[in-house]
């Protein structure tokens, strides 16, 4: 990926501005009570995008199949709630995370030995396999009709998932907070620095004796675990899971959100889904058929002229202002 | 046994027809990716465009079928030149991710435009009478159109292979695929070569999309729905080769048909698993060459 | 000013205020429908039916009452999106009634919201039998798949002995498969083979080959209405199953009125069972089709989705009229349960007060050439006032 500002810094302390997204989220909770279900969705996709950014932006692994882990987490939580009578949300969450991690390490160990098109194809094939299984195993997954009747008990026995999405919003916010802290810690650690090395110059990394392959597998597994968590969250907030959590379109859409925000910059994963989902919420109502046209054109423009996404644009504006000052 | 043999013949036949279409569409992608190193996920857009051109020519302007096929090839090829000069060429040096994102953006745009112009209904394919009905072959009846698909594609493939093996242009393409820098240094204008080859590959995709409009329905989400299959053909067959994707396409066409016939409850699951296995065994594809 | 004058003024004022028109009441109806993706045409027909009805029936509303339609696109069989949209319609847009929905899984996902928020939901297409049992606030004006496939199975058992069933692999397909099989086998017939085809399937030829090899007398098929119907017809024709003596039958989805022009001559002679055909001769339908063509063009034809939207709006308008625009959820459901319309374009319809599901006639139709174009010609009524057989057989409410 082309050079970008931000990223590794020797000082891991959290700057005040980094708390801004969470402050905004709390403000939204009080100011926009009717939009909380959209808000929860945005929070979930931010977590999902963070997980993708770990491998895409930091480790440089291009994947179209990240939805496999998201979908697996979603279905694990759903199956527990609908078929196995396990309705405690925290248990469902942990199970989904574990599933995402297990599949991640299993698939990662196999596919991370390959590169470029082969790797891309393999990621696509994996999510397609997951999609087919979910599609065909109707008694377990509900097949093309999706899994409904998922029972999600109140969190800690106290907080029920209500129609307005209040509980869901706060629940996802807490999950995002924890996930964000974890990712941040990882990136600003020596391990995180080695990821940049892996991305920019794997040959050199080999030369200095860094275990490239195992580091890739490790970061991949962490990423898929987070994706699994995000998947569980979406099932729990909707009390429903359908086939579209898997497959190329879901993974592709996430990629679009992340690129829009800015890859490899941690906060691109915040900005991208926010802008995308809000825009989709507004525009898709006015012009449902033309949404794709706008997204496609925007993508092309971003790739040709604004490779750092929105945060990249913000950066260049800030730099220009600094120069003037 | 008689029944089983009959099913076998049927599966082989239909699988071959499907495989040939996959090949005609995907061969351009293989050469483009091998030649220019450009991950063009939007290749399906050209196939879809060819299908739309064919169906519009026939239903709106009453153009005879063979001419409509030729027009599909020409129009898509020409349009791809425009796209290549304007957009693709700026991204040859871009990173893999940027190329992927660009082509996904193209797909989105194409899907939206197709919907706006043609609506969401699948395009009806009106075949000329001489291509309808059944065709007797070796004592059995086969759908005439599918026989035509196999025959026509075989001829196209023959022409293509001859072109690449025997002509100067083909030699230049092979040289540039093998070692671009070297080819440039001996005076081959790789820029023009790219454009020409890209046009040819996209034109072929358009032709394949038009030919196969009966098998792979022409509707706006075509590039999304069929991308995986085109990519499988190229990845499993091997980039930058002609023979590899041919074998891969036939294998996939026949396997897919066989599964639909005998084990429909598995769907495409087995194809994907087989793809994963094949790619792990031979990451550069069955016939691919290991690039340094 | 003395007391008498004051009283007169007060009385006059009171009269004036009392006689003033009630401030405009807007009834907000949230429509969750499909406007994009490969299935957008289906949603388009429901939408057109709804809009045609509201346009022509403005005068039927009580004075001062307006109807506002808030439409949302679920993009296809996306249950979680549909649920999200319905939730927003209820919470953000504060709709009083929900309507629409092409796909059964989408409606199933929305169902729990309707009982939690107590919002009446009128189903205008989704045909899964189980849907009306999911919430006491759901009423249906479209159809169930059992309603068409079960009587068809009974009819087929009288004429044929060996049948092959081919359906698309999703809930609607499973419903049709179960309905036909039950009726056919109960009537003494034998199912020689069954296959479930993937929902997102481009090529039906291998499946039709399988059918041909099994040599049944009749093929019962169900695939979602629209482009897939054309594809399966083509495959049937290409492999010359008709010449092999295999009769093609199914619910009306396989020869839907708006797709027939695209199918060539292959569907001639195909027998279907359905509750609506655009070619029906009854006066209510002639008027409906004429109004449709006037609004949407002479070449356009309504279909069962359009009539689902049309009749759904009629039921909703009945509820609006009886409540004079003040929608109370419980009262609305009571009115819907008693809904009857002897003059729908599809004949007499009613809503069953026990199950809140549609009760209607089923017609046997054959595809014939009428005036140079293919049409579903109604031959006979094979079911009168058919209640959903699945619920009847399983005693579900």
């Amino acid at each position: 990926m082309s050079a970008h500002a931000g990223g590794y810094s020797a000082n891991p302390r959290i700057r005040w501005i980094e708390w801004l997204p969470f402050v905004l989220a709390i403000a939204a909770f009080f100011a926009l009570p009717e939009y909380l279900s959209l808000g929860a969705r945005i929070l979930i996709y931010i977590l999902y995008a963070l997980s993708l950014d770990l491998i895409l932006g930091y480790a440089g692994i291009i994947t179209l199949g990240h939805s496999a882990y998201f979908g697996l987490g979603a279905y694990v939580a759903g199956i527990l709630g609908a078929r196995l009578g396990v309705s405690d949300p925290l248990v469902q969450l942990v199970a989904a995370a574990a599933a995402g991690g297990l599949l991640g390490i299993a698939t990662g160990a196999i596919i991370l030995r390959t590169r470029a098109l082969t790797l891309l194809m393999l990621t696509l094939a994996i999510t397609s396999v997951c999609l087919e299984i979910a599609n065909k195993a109707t008694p377990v997954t509900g097949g093309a009709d999706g899994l409904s009747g998922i029972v999600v008990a109140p969190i800690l026995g106290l907080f029920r998932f209500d129609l307005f999405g209040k509980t869901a919003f706060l629940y996802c916010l807490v999950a995002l907070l924890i996930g964000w802290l974890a990712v941040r810690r990882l990136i600003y650690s020596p391990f995180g620095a080695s990821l940049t090395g892996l991305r920019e110059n794997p040959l050199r990394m080999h030369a200095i004796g860094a275990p490239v392959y195992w580091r890739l597998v490790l970061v991949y597994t962490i990423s898929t675990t987070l994706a699994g968590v995000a998947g569980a969250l979406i099932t729990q907030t909707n009390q429903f899971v359908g086939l579209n959590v898997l497959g190329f379109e879901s993974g592709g859409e996430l990629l679009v959100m992340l690129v829009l925000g800015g890859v490899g910059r941690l906060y691109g994963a915040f900005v991208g889904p926010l802008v995308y989902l809000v825009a989709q919420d507004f525009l898709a109502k006015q012009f449902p058929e033309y949404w794709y046209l706008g997204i496609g054109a925007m993508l092309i423009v971003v790739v040709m002229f604004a490779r750092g996404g929105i945060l990249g644009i913000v950066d260049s504006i800030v730099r220009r202002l600094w120069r003037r000052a | 046994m008689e029944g089983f043999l009959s099913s076998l013949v049927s599966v082989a036949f239909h699988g071959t027809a499907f495989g040939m279409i996959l090949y005609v569409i995907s061969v351009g992608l293989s050469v483009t990716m091998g030649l220019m190193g450009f991950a063009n996920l939007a290749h399906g857009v050209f196939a879809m465009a060819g299908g739309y051109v064919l169906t519009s020519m026939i239903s709106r302007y009453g153009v005879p079928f063979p001419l409509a096929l030729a027009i599909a090839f020409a129009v898509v090829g020409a349009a791809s030149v425009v796209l290549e000069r304007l957009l693709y060429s700026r991204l040859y040096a871009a990173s893999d991710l940027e190329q992927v994102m660009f082509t996904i953006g193209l797909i989105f745009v194409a899907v939206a435009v197709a919907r706006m112009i043609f609506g969401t209904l699948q395009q009806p394919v009106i075949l000329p009478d001489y291509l309808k009905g059944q065709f007797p072959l070796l004592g059995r009846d086969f759908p005439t159109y599918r026989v035509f698909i196999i025959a026509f594609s075989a001829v196209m493939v023959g022409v293509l292979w001859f072109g690449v093996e025997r002509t100067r242009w083909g030699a230049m393409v092979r040289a540039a695929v093998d070692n671009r820098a070297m080819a440039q240094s001996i005076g081959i204008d790789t820029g023009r070569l790219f454009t020409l080859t890209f046009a040819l590959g996209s034109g072929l995709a358009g032709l394949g999309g038009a030919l196969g409009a009966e098998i792979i329905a022409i509707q706006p989400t075509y590039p999304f729905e069929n991308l995986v299959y085109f990519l499988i053909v190229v990845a499993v067959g091997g980039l930058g080769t002609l023979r590899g994707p041919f074998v891969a396409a036939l294998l996939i066409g026949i396997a897919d048909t066989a599964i639909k016939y005998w084990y429909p409850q598995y769907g495409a699951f087995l194809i994907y698993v087989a793809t994963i296995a094949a790619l792990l065994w031979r990451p550069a594809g069955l016939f691919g060459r290991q690039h340094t | 000013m003395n007391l008498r004058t004051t009283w007169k003024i007060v009385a006059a004022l009171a009269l004036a205020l009392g006689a003033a028109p009630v401030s405009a009441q807007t009834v907000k109806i949230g429509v969750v429908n499909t406007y994009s993706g490969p299935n957008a045409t289906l949603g388009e027909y429901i939408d057109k039916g709804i809009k045609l009805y509201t346009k022509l029936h403005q005068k039927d509303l009580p004075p001062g009452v307006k109807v506002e339609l808030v439409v949302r696109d679920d993009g296809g069989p996306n249950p979680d999106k549909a649920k999200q949209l319905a939730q927003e319609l209820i919470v953000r847009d504060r709709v009083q009634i929900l309507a629409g929905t092409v796909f059964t899984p989408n409606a199933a996902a929305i169902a729990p919201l309707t009982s939690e928020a107590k919002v009446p939901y009128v189903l205008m297409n989704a045909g899964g039998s189980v849907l009306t049992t999911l919430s006491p606030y759901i009423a249906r004006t479209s159809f169930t798949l059992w309603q068409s496939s079960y009587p068809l199975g009974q009819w087929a058992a009288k004429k044929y002995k060996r049948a092959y069933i081919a359906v698309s692999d999703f809930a609607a397909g499973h419903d049709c498969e179960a309905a036909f099989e039950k009726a056919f086998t109960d009537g003494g017939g034998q199912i020689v083979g069954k296959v479930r085809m993937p929902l997102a399937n481009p090529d039906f030829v291998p499946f039709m080959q399988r059918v041909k090899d099994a040599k049944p007398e009749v093929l019962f098929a169900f695939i979602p209405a629209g482009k897939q119907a054309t594809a399966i017809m083509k495959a049937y024709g290409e492999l010359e199953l008709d010449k092999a003596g295999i009769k093609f039958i199914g619910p009306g989805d396989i020869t839907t009125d708006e797709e027939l022009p695209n199918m060539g001559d292959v569907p001639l002679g195909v027998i279907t069972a359905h509750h609506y055909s655009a070619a029906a001769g009854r006066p209510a339908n002639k008027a409906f089709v004429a109004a449709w063509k006037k609004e949407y063009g002479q070449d356009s034809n309504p279909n069962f989705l359009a009539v689902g939207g049309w009749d759904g709006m009629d039921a909703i308008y009945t509820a609006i009229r009886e409540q004079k625009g003040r929608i109370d959820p419980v009262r609305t459901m009571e009115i819907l349960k008693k809904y009857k319309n002897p003059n729908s374009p599809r004949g007499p319809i009613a809503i069953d007060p026990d199950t809140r599901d549609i009760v209607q006639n089923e017609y046997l139709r054959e595809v014939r050439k009428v005036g140079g174009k293919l049409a579903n010609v109604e031959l006979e009524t094979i079911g009168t006032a058919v209640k959903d057989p699945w619920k009847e057989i399983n005693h579900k409410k």
Side-chain angles (χ1 to χ4, degrees):
Chain A
M1 189 67 202
S2 46
H4 54 82
Y8 180 61
S9 139
N11 181 359
R13 261 195 327 166
I14 303 178
R15 306 196 298 277
W16 69 266
I17 195 172
E18 297 185 67
W19 291 107
L20 193 59
F22 296 95
V23 170
L24 285 176
I26 305 271
F29 179 74
F30 291 106
L32 302 167
E34 292 167 347
Y35 289 84
L36 291 181
S37 75
L38 174 66
R41 214 175 142 78
I42 294 176
L43 293 174
I44 293 172
Y45 271 85
I46 291 178
L47 181 60
Y48 187 17
L50 267 178
S51 75
L52 180 64
D53 204 19
L54 254 187
I55 49 177
L56 182 65
Y58 285 92
I61 304 172
I62 301 180
T63 165
L64 283 174
H66 208 52
S67 54
Y69 313 98
F70 181 71
L72 177 65
Y75 270 99
V76 162
I79 293 171
L80 282 175
R83 301 271 190 255
L84 298 176
V86 178
S87 60
D88 183 77
L90 297 175
V91 172
Q92 292 170 346
L93 196 64
V94 169
L102 279 171
L103 184 65
I105 199 171
T107 50
I110 300 177
I111 69 176
L112 286 169
R113 292 195 185 279
T114 63
R115 298 186 57 242
L117 174 69
T118 316
L119 180 59
L120 191 73
M121 198 56 240
L122 282 169
T123 60
L124 203 50
I126 290 171
T127 190
S128 302
V129 166
C130 291
L131 180 60
E132 274 300 288
I133 296 177
N135 191 12
K136 293 290 175 182
T138 313
V140 177
T141 61
D145 308 307
L147 198 57
S148 48
I150 299 174
V151 182
V152 186
I155 305 173
L156 302 175
L158 293 170
F159 306 102
R160 196 181 74 86
F161 281 89
D162 62 303
L163 175 67
F164 284 81
K166 289 204 183 105
T167 313
F169 186 85
L170 292 174
Y171 176 54
C172 294
L173 190 58
V174 170
L176 176 61
L177 184 69
I178 299 175
W180 166 71
L181 283 171
V183 169
R184 210 184 163 285
R185 195 83 190 73
L186 188 71
I187 291 175
Y188 288 132
S189 69
F191 178 74
S194 74
L195 290 181
T196 312
L198 282 177
R199 182 187 71 234
E200 303 285 335
N201 203 333
L203 267 175
R204 228 222 196 121
M205 291 294 285
H206 277 295
I208 64 171
V212 173
Y213 171 69
W214 284 112
R215 274 174 208 242
L216 283 176
V217 173
L218 180 57
V219 72
Y220 195 76
T221 307
I222 295 173
S223 161
T224 61
T225 309
L226 283 175
V229 169
L233 288 177
I234 210 162
T235 298
Q236 292 172 325
T237 48
N238 288 337
Q239 276 142 43
F240 185 91
V241 58
L243 287 179
N244 54 5
V245 295
L246 291 161
F248 170 42
E249 279 205 60
S250 163
E253 211 185 21
L254 180 70
L255 200 52
V256 171
M257 288 187 218
L258 186 57
V259 167
L260 174 63
V263 180
R265 316 187 41 134
L266 194 59
Y267 295 100
F270 281 76
V271 171
L274 175 66
V275 172
Y276 184 93
L277 287 172
V278 167
Q280 186 184 52
D281 188 74
F282 179 68
L283 292 173
K285 284 185 195 126
Q286 318 276 22
F287 315 106
E289 304 114 23
Y290 300 93
W291 169 247
Y292 269 145
L293 184 64
I295 284 296
M298 185 273 309
L299 254 188
I300 296 178
V301 163
V302 163
V303 168
M304 310 219 81
F305 304 114
R307 290 176 187 187
I310 291 179
L311 286 188
I313 296 175
V314 168
D315 266 354
S316 48
I317 294 177
V318 165
R319 241 178 290 142
R320 249 174 251 163
L321 289 175
W322 269 106
R323 249 183 267 145
R324 295 247 184 91
Chain B
M1 193 54 202
E2 155 83 53
F4 178 71
L5 211 58
S6 163
S7 323
L8 208 58
V9 169
S10 175
V11 164
F13 175 76
H14 288 293
T16 306
F18 183 38
M20 293 299 252
I21 294 291
L22 279 180
Y23 181 64
V24 174
I25 294 177
S26 311
V27 67
L29 183 60
S30 169
V31 176
T32 307
M33 289 182 80
L35 180 62
M36 299 162 358
F38 192 99
N40 183 20
L41 300 181
H43 194 70
V45 169
F46 298 118
M48 174 176 82
Y52 274 119
V53 169
L54 178 89
T55 51
S56 327
M57 289 287 127
I58 294 183
S59 42
R60 280 191 211 184
Y61 304 111
V63 172
F65 189 77
L67 185 58
L69 273 183
I71 294 179
F73 177 80
V75 166
V76 174
S80 74
V81 170
V82 173
L83 271 175
E84 197 262 347
R85 288 282 96 202
L86 278 182
L87 296 172
Y88 278 88
S89 52
R90 292 181 210 276
L91 292 168
Y92 287 150
S95 73
D96 283 345
L97 176 63
E98 284 158 350
Q99 293 177 350
V100 165
M101 294 317 302
F102 166 69
T103 51
I104 291 183
L106 255 188
I107 296 180
F108 281 154
V109 169
V111 167
V113 168
R115 200 174 284 142
M116 287 196 266
I117 301 181
F118 295 102
T120 48
L121 268 176
Q122 166 187 324
Q123 294 300 102
V125 182
I126 304 168
L127 293 175
D129 284 331
Y130 54 86
L131 285 178
K132 286 196 223 175
Q134 303 256 293
F135 188 80
L137 202 61
L138 308 170
R140 255 190 77 138
D141 272 346
F142 294 99
T144 311
Y145 189 62
R146 311 246 166 164
V147 174
F148 170 70
I149 287 179
I150 296 180
F152 186 84
S153 309
V155 168
M156 287 305 318
V157 168
V159 168
L160 182 68
W161 289 7
F162 181 83
V164 172
E165 301 282 301
R166 295 294 155 96
T167 63
R168 197 146 164 267
W169 162 76
M172 291 199 284
V173 170
R174 278 180 286 129
V177 170
D178 269 344
N179 195 329
R180 190 183 320 165
M182 201 58 196
Q184 255 173 326
S185 70
I186 63 167
I188 295 179
D189 182 351
T190 46
R192 248 206 334 204
L193 190 64
F194 284 3
T195 309
L196 186 60
T197 316
F198 189 78
L200 186 64
S202 311
L204 272 177
L207 183 63
L211 256 187
E214 276 228 331
I215 303 183
I216 311 179
I218 305 293
Q219 31 95 11
T221 52
Y222 184 107
F224 273 128
E225 294 187 0
N226 300 297
L227 173 66
V228 184
Y229 270 60
F230 303 149
L231 279 183
I232 290 182
V233 168
V234 169
V236 170
L239 292 177
T241 73
L242 288 182
R243 306 253 188 291
F246 184 69
V247 174
L250 279 181
L251 278 176
I252 289 171
I254 295 178
D256 189 72
T257 308
I259 292 170
K260 276 203 190 108
Y261 190 88
W262 280 305
Y263 302 107
Q265 68 270 27
Y266 285 110
F269 170 75
L270 294 171
I271 304 262
Y272 298 136
V273 169
T275 302
I276 294 176
L279 283 178
L280 288 175
W281 176 47
R282 290 268 174 92
L286 293 176
F287 291 82
R289 51 283 287 309
Q290 310 282 349
H291 276 275
T292 45
Chain C
M1 201 161 43
N2 62 19
L3 209 56
R4 229 156 161 226
T5 325
T6 319
W7 273 119
K8 275 198 200 146
I9 294 172
V10 170
L13 270 172
L15 255 174
L17 283 170
V22 175
S23 53
Q25 279 264 41
T26 307
V27 177
K28 271 183 148 180
I29 303 177
V31 180
V32 179
N33 200 3
T34 306
Y35 293 97
S36 63
N39 299 294
T41 359
L42 302 175
E44 206 185 296
Y45 276 89
I46 302 180
D47 189 71
K48 284 184 167 161
I50 293 176
K51 300 238 164 94
L52 186 63
Y53 187 92
T54 48
K55 183 172 178 187
L56 296 178
H57 287 86
Q58 280 206 21
K59 48 183 172 35
D60 291 342
L61 288 168
V65 174
K66 282 194 316 146
V67 160
E68 183 185 330
L69 293 169
V70 187
V71 302
R72 295 285 177 259
D73 176 24
D74 56 23
N78 294 321
D80 61 343
K81 183 142 188 227
K83 184 168 189 170
Q84 182 201 343
L85 291 169
Q87 196 258 10
E88 285 168 13
L89 282 170
I90 297 174
V91 165
R92 272 199 232 175
D93 303 285
R94 300 183 204 284
V95 299
Q96 291 144 298
I97 297 177
L98 280 173
T101 318
V102 175
F103 294 99
T104 300
N106 293 10
I110 294 177
L113 290 174
T114 64
S115 39
E116 187 179 344
K118 301 202 200 333
V119 174
Y121 183 20
V122 175
L123 293 175
M124 294 173 170
N125 186 65
S129 296
V130 75
L131 286 175
T132 48
T133 64
L134 296 177
S135 158
Y137 286 91
I138 294 182
R140 175 163 30 207
T141 60
S142 51
F143 59 92
T144 73
L145 297 142
W146 274 73
Q147 257 176 350
S148 44
S149 301
Y150 189 82
L152 185 61
Q154 291 174 317
W155 171 86
K158 295 189 198 126
K159 291 188 73 167
Y160 306 100
K161 284 282 150 254
R162 298 156 47 84
Y164 198 104
I165 302 179
V167 300
S168 285
D169 194 4
F170 68 127
H174 304 163
D175 267 8
C176 287
E177 179 192 280
F180 184 82
E181 184 169 5
K182 177 117 181 69
F184 194 71
T185 47
D186 280 355
Q190 186 204 2
I191 307 289
V192 301
K194 288 197 287 194
V195 74
R196 288 182 175 182
M197 308 173 287
L199 188 54
N201 173 35
D203 189 13
F204 288 100
V205 169
F207 296 104
M208 290 297 105
Q209 183 68 55
R210 231 176 114 106
V211 173
K212 194 175 183 184
D213 293 342
K215 300 199 203 334
E217 289 171 308
V218 62
L219 165 65
F220 171 83
F222 169 77
I223 63 296
K227 60 166 182 153
Q228 293 207 24
T230 310
I232 201 175
M233 268 312 152
K234 277 234 163 89
Y236 174 81
E238 254 183 46
L239 288 170
E240 295 186 338
L241 264 72
D242 47 352
K243 299 208 179 82
I246 303 174
K247 185 84 178 161
F248 200 156
I249 68 174
D253 307 64
I254 64 175
T255 56
T256 109
D257 299 302
E258 85 287 356
E259 259 309 286
L260 271 183
N262 298 329
M263 297 187 186
D265 277 347
V266 179
L268 276 172
V270 169
I271 300 267
T272 54
H274 222 204
H275 54 285
Y276 179 72
S277 160
R282 61 189 73 87
N285 188 43
K286 287 212 146 102
F288 175 60
V289 175
W292 179 277
K293 285 188 189 289
K294 183 165 173 212
E295 179 75 13
Y296 298 119
Q298 281 305 311
D299 283 335
S300 178
N301 277 318
N303 60 10
F304 66 95
L305 291 136
V307 91
W310 173 273
D311 283 332
M313 285 315 286
D314 192 62
I316 292 176
Y317 268 45
T318 310
I320 295 177
R321 271 199 305 274
E322 290 197 22
Q323 297 177 83
K324 304 220 193 319
R326 292 179 210 280
I327 305 292
D328 169 68
V330 176
R331 180 99 183 84
T332 305
M333 290 316 294
E334 272 166 32
I335 298 171
L336 287 176
K337 281 189 208 171
K338 297 201 207 98
Y339 177 74
K340 287 191 215 301
N341 182 4
N343 273 318
S344 154
R346 42 180 146 160
I349 64 171
I351 292 188
D352 181 355
D354 287 329
T355 61
R356 286 163 279 105
D357 214 338
I358 184 96
V359 179
Q360 59 191 335
N361 289 354
E362 288 289 327
Y363 307 101
L364 196 70
R365 311 106 50 91
E366 186 179 6
V367 179
R368 294 194 183 155
K369 260 212 170 109
V370 176
K373 296 198 186 142
L374 293 186
N376 289 302
V377 175
E378 285 178 4
L379 300 177
E380 51 177 284
T381 307
I382 58 168
T384 314
V386 179
K387 295 189 187 180
D388 177 39
W390 180 77
K391 291 200 261 291
E392 299 271 286
I393 293 173
N394 295 301
H395 306 291
K396 299 243 195 240
K397 292 227 183 272

